[in-house]
Amino acid sequence: MAAVWFVVASNPAIFRRPATGPLISTLEYVYYLAGIASIAVGWYFNIRFVTEYADGNTNPIWGDGSWAQYIELMYVNPAAGSAGQDYTIGNVILLPLMTIIGGRRRGISRPWLFFVSSLFTSFAFAWAFYLATTERQRRLAECETS
């Protein structure tokens, strides 16, 4: 949540109250709802993974129920490997490129924090938060020109 807070705090011009219209648009709500749902569903499965696989191991990095085993199981069969590589490329390469380069082009401060937030929330949440941020920025700019 700290990364989300830093994005909001670093971009007061984007997250200010609009002069006209709703505080949050319907599209922003949809993005936020999808992102929050992805956290809930993702953490449900993460907690199940740890409780079912850890078997007394308390090391989150190595051993049963750890991140190392989680990543290993992402490639346990061709179907899982297909989804795993897609997620890995999307989250580790494309999300940072899109949010950092696109965010800088749009004048978003600290756009690298969207990637950081994905490490603790979910890939879909970070992506939805970025899309909601750019939609809000677009909507505010449109209000200023009208």
Side-chain angles (χ1 to χ4, degrees):
M1 295 315 297
V4 172
W5 180 84
F6 277 120
V7 169
V8 173
S10 299
N11 293 282
I14 296 172
F15 291 101
R16 71 184 187 275
R17 179 175 279 286
T20 61
L23 179 62
I24 298 173
S25 73
T26 302
L27 185 55
E28 289 170 73
Y29 271 121
V30 171
Y31 288 141
Y32 288 132
L33 183 62
I36 291 167
S38 77
I39 293 172
V41 173
W43 277 100
Y44 166 77
F45 286 109
N46 289 342
I47 291 167
R48 279 195 57 202
F49 166 73
V50 171
T51 58
E52 291 176 18
Y53 284 80
D55 196 30
N57 180 29
T58 58
N59 184 338
I61 308 299
W62 306 110
D64 293 340
S66 67
W67 279 108
Q69 186 182 29
Y70 182 90
I71 292 168
E72 179 183 319
L73 291 174
M74 279 179 28
Y75 299 94
V76 73
N77 63 51
S82 176
Q85 67 78 30
D86 201 34
Y87 162 76
T88 301
I89 291 169
N91 194 58
V92 179
I93 299 170
L94 297 177
L95 177 72
L97 285 173
M98 181 65 186
T99 58
I100 293 169
I101 294 169
R104 285 185 176 155
R105 287 177 180 166
R106 289 176 171 82
I108 298 172
S109 297
R110 296 188 175 106
W112 51 272
L113 286 170
F114 291 101
F115 171 68
V116 172
S117 76
S118 78
L119 302 176
F120 303 100
T121 57
S122 72
F123 168 62
F125 173 82
W127 185 242
F129 184 36
Y130 177 75
L131 291 173
T133 301
T134 59
E135 170 59 18
R136 183 172 187 82
Q137 186 180 44
R138 183 207 59 77
R139 188 168 59 93
L140 290 170
E142 190 175 273
C143 288
E144 290 172 358
T145 60
S146 26

